[in-house]
Every structure is written in C-alpha cells, then in structure tokens.
Amino acid sequence: NFTRAVGGASLCGGAMGTKGARPPRVAVLVVEEGLIDKVTWPVFQDAAEVTAQGLRNLGADAQVARCRDLRSCKLSPQSHDDFSPGAAAGGSAGSSPDPGPHGYFVVVLGVHHLARYMVHWATGKLTPLVLAPGFDLFTPRNSVLYNFEVASSQADLGVKQKGGPTQERGVDMGPVLAAWADQGGLWDYAEGNVEAFRASRGLEAVHVPLGYAPLLETGPPSQAADKQTDGLSPPPPPPPPRPPQVIDVLFYGHLNPRRRRVLGSLRRDHGLAIFHANANGPAFGPRLDALVRRAKVVLSLNLLDLQADLRAPSGQEGGGAAREWKMTRLLRPLASATAVLVSETMGSHRERSAWAGAIAFADSVPELAANITALLGDASLRAEMATRALEVFRAQKAEDALRGPFWALVERACTPGNS
C-alpha cells in the first residue's frame, strides 16, 4: 500500500492512493562488467528476480534490467534487457513517486563491479563513475546498493590494499560505499557482511536477507506466463513427473585449492560419488535446476577454511567468508523439494538456527561425509528434510525482508529537503 504519509503529506507528489495514482516504479538493475561479461547475469538473475517479485508483492511496479556497460546505460528498463540508450522513461498518467529525472527507484546488484567504471577528474586522478558530476542513472538519494559479495574480501569490493590488484588499478570503492551507507542505502543479504562492514570500514549496512519468491518453483514471469491460462484457452498440461534422482551428491561453485582438497577427501577417503556441475562449463538457470532436481544431496562448501576464517578478525582479508550466509547458492536446492542440502558451517548462529532440521551442517570433512552417507542411505529422511526446507523457505517471504528497507528508500527520496 503506497499511501503511507510523511508529516501529513503523501510521498512524492500528494496524490498517492487517489484515482489514477501509479505505484512507485523500481528498476532492479544488474550491473555487468562490459559486453564480454557472460557470467554476471546468470549469477545474479535469481537474486534479481526474487527481489523484483518481492517488491511487486509490496505493490511496486518493479522490473529486472541488465546494464552491460554502465557508461552507456539509460533509465528506461525492459525486463531481461539493457536499459534502452537515450530512451525516456514512460508510464501511464497519474501521480507516482518521482525521486529523480527518470522517475525510478533503483536497486543495484553487482555492486562490486562499480569499481570497474572510473573516470578522470581534471587533475587526471581516477574517481568512481557513480560519484562523477552528471551521473544520474542512480544516486544515493534514489537508489540502494544491494551487496552479495563477501564484505571482508577487500578485492571483491575494490578497496585499496597493500600490494593488491585493486591498488595497482587505483580503484577505491570506499567513498562509493560510504556515500550510500551515509544515506541508509547500503543493503547486504548476510548478517556476517553487515558485521564486517561495521568492523572494517565503520559503515552501517542494512541487513536485507534474500527470501522466498514463488518464481523459484515456477520460473520467472517470462517463463511462468507460458503456464497461465486466460480462462478461455485450455489449461496447460500438468508438469512432467519428477526425474529420477540419479546423482548421489551434486556440487557447484568455483574450484580453488581448498575446495579441491575437500572434494578429493570426500571421494578418496570416504568413497562418495560427487558430480561437479560446472566442471566443464557454466551451470546456471535451467541446466542447474535440472541437475538439482536429479540430485539426492547438494553439497555446499565454503571457499575458505572455516577454522582459519573464524580465527581471522572480521573485516580483514580472509576473515569473514564463512560468516557470510550464502543464500544465493541455496535458492534452487531449497525450492526443489527433493534435494537435501549438506553444508559446511556458515553464516551467523541466528541464520543457521532458522534452518534446524532442514539443512545438515558440518564443521569438518568427516562430519560432512557422515551426514551425506546417512542421507544417501535413508530416502525417508531425505524427503522429510527436503519438505521441511521448503516449508521454512516459504515462510521467509522476500517482501517481508524488503518492506522496511524499501520504505526507508521511498521516504528518503521523497521527503522534502532530503538530498
């Protein structure tokens, strides 16, 4: 309901809730690294679609859009496509929040990629494009930066570090993060990242967990539309039967030396058959979904060693990665209602506690192997845990997590005197 008032006046224009009023328009914008970037969109698509559906469930007119090159994007979003260069924002008549020249609130995903886009000041020094004069695609007033990377990994978020690659490029994302954080516009999906931002950089991020949206079970709107009927056409055929679960253990993710050691031990020392989904190429979207539905167990591994990570102070390089609740990795298995998640311990105690009886956590390789072996030998236990996981997930609706933070964005953008 977008009739909430501030000081007796409706947000952004005074006619909210009246006949002909239009809900706020929101662009959930995935920022990529350039035209050759083939990975960012599939990595962020689920998160973007879930966020957009959560906002639509709150009553917003939310669309997902891609920005392949931040230097040329303009705000006239089309779902699953670039912002049309030079196009003006459209829309029907009626009053709506109008926080900027284009009339869109913007939720930015791919925050770490902002460090790739720099411009020169008159002095010749590099400065982030998003802070340069004249850049108005999104600003701290009309947008939020929604982070999905490890906040303690300074390289990911482009903070200068001694001898590090970001220092060599002269990139420093600190001023960008601070500009949005000072306005309450820095969101993060993991409690551990919120802690790391505070401990290492003195920044207050808003915890906005990534929740459930029905499209994770039915497909995004572009796919789900094919399954709907207008009442005149015959209903669509029933979904095909679930495929047989022919994969004992499925793993997907970037391979680093630490993960190779864990997978090698599970295979060699414990006799487990583990299929690596993206061993020979990317595995996203329908391909990954099909593999998840054929798996009995999905294995989630931390990139860094848990005990070493927990010993490292939060916010230091190498410290905090296991504290990140990696919800983006869990979305598809949780929504499958068939595969069971076995995960190395990650996230905060509160985040893990919410999934008691739904995800099997382990602190060591032998414990991982014991959990997997027990689940492979007990089909009824797998079915019980998969059902429990979907029930817990469905209760964590995306719109519930977004409601307060999104209203704060609207209020900040639309209250007179804010800048």
Side-chain angles (χ1 to χ4, degrees):
N1 178 335
F2 285 95
T3 60
R4 181 177 176 183
V6 178
S10 296
L11 293 176
C12 293
M16 300 302 296
T18 62
K19 185 177 181 180
R22 189 177 58 204
R25 292 176 295 180
V26 186
V28 180
L29 174 63
V30 179
V31 176
E32 302 178 41
E33 293 189 273
L35 297 178
I36 63 171
D37 182 355
K38 306 299 183 186
V39 176
T40 296
W41 170 245
V43 166
F44 281 94
Q45 183 178 7
D46 277 347
E49 296 280 8
V50 165
T51 301
Q53 187 170 66
L55 292 170
R56 286 192 294 270
N57 290 347
L58 292 175
D61 176 8
Q63 302 179 61
V64 174
R66 299 172 64 177
C67 178
R68 291 186 175 92
D69 190 323
L70 192 62
R71 296 167 295 182
S72 59
C73 291
K74 303 296 180 183
L75 248 174
S76 182
Q78 302 296 322
S79 183
H80 306 294
D81 204 353
D82 281 322
F83 286 128
S84 303
S92 57
S95 174
S96 72
D98 188 15
H102 43 62
Y104 284 87
F105 298 96
V106 184
V107 178
V108 181
L109 279 63
V111 174
H112 57 304
H113 290 163
L114 300 182
R116 309 295 187 261
Y117 296 95
M118 311 296 289
V119 295
H120 285 278
W121 286 98
T123 61
K125 293 182 179 179
L126 286 173
T127 188
L129 173 62
V130 295
L131 295 181
F135 183 86
D136 62 359
L137 181 65
F138 51 85
T139 70
R141 180 172 177 264
N142 76 335
S143 67
V144 294
L145 305 184
Y146 197 0
N147 179 53
F148 288 87
E149 297 301 311
V150 181
S152 59
S153 179
Q154 297 175 346
D156 278 349
L157 289 174
V159 175
K160 290 182 181 178
Q161 50 187 307
K162 185 176 181 179
T166 55
Q167 187 180 47
E168 294 169 5
R169 290 197 299 267
V171 176
D172 186 356
M173 277 284 286
V176 174
L177 299 174
W180 267 263
D182 288 347
Q183 297 286 328
L186 178 60
W187 293 1
D188 203 292
Y189 81 134
E191 284 187 346
N193 282 344
V194 173
E195 176 190 338
F197 274 126
R198 182 183 300 118
S200 65
R201 307 175 191 186
L203 300 179
E204 290 298 326
V206 180
H207 183 218
V208 185
L210 191 60
Y212 169 84
L215 62 85
L216 292 169
E217 296 184 68
T218 63
S222 57
Q223 300 175 25
D226 297 333
K227 305 177 184 179
Q228 297 173 357
T229 177
D230 56 12
L232 300 176
S233 306
R242 290 190 180 276
Q245 292 179 292
V246 295
I247 300 173
D248 278 355
V249 185
L250 177 69
F251 167 77
Y252 50 90
H254 170 70
L255 271 187
N256 68 340
R258 194 258 167 186
R259 281 177 169 169
R260 284 192 177 94
R261 288 195 299 271
V262 173
L263 291 173
S265 177
L266 290 172
R267 288 165 170 155
R268 180 184 61 254
D269 302 331
H270 300 278
L272 295 172
I274 303 174
F275 180 77
H276 184 194
N278 54 309
N280 298 312
F284 301 107
R287 179 172 182 265
L288 179 59
D289 200 40
L291 291 172
V292 167
R293 292 179 182 279
R294 286 169 169 79
K296 298 173 184 176
V297 171
V298 173
L299 175 62
S300 174
L301 297 178
N302 297 326
L303 197 63
L304 302 177
D305 178 74
L306 173 65
Q307 298 306 320
D309 181 69
L310 292 178
R311 286 194 298 269
S314 177
Q316 290 189 5
E317 187 70 21
R323 297 185 182 97
E324 180 191 21
W325 180 257
K326 201 70 178 177
M327 192 63 177
T328 47
R329 190 191 301 154
L330 310 183
L331 292 176
R332 289 294 169 178
L334 292 174
S336 72
T338 55
V340 177
L341 270 161
V342 173
S343 174
E344 288 188 291
T345 299
M346 63 176 178
S348 68
H349 175 72
R350 180 166 58 180
E351 287 167 323
R352 292 192 302 274
S353 296
W355 296 93
I359 298 175
F361 293 102
D363 290 335
S364 65
V365 174
E367 192 176 353
L368 282 173
N371 287 345
I372 292 170
T373 301
L375 286 164
L376 291 178
D378 193 336
S380 62
L381 177 59
R382 293 200 308 271
E384 179 183 333
M385 288 186 64
T387 300
R388 167 69 178 158
L390 184 56
E391 290 174 350
V392 173
F393 194 23
R394 283 174 172 170
Q396 298 180 9
K397 294 180 173 60
E399 58 266 31
D400 292 340
L402 288 162
R403 182 175 287 106
F406 178 64
W407 268 119
L409 167 62
V410 173
E411 191 166 314
R412 178 174 78 247
C414 302
T415 301
N418 284 357
S419 59

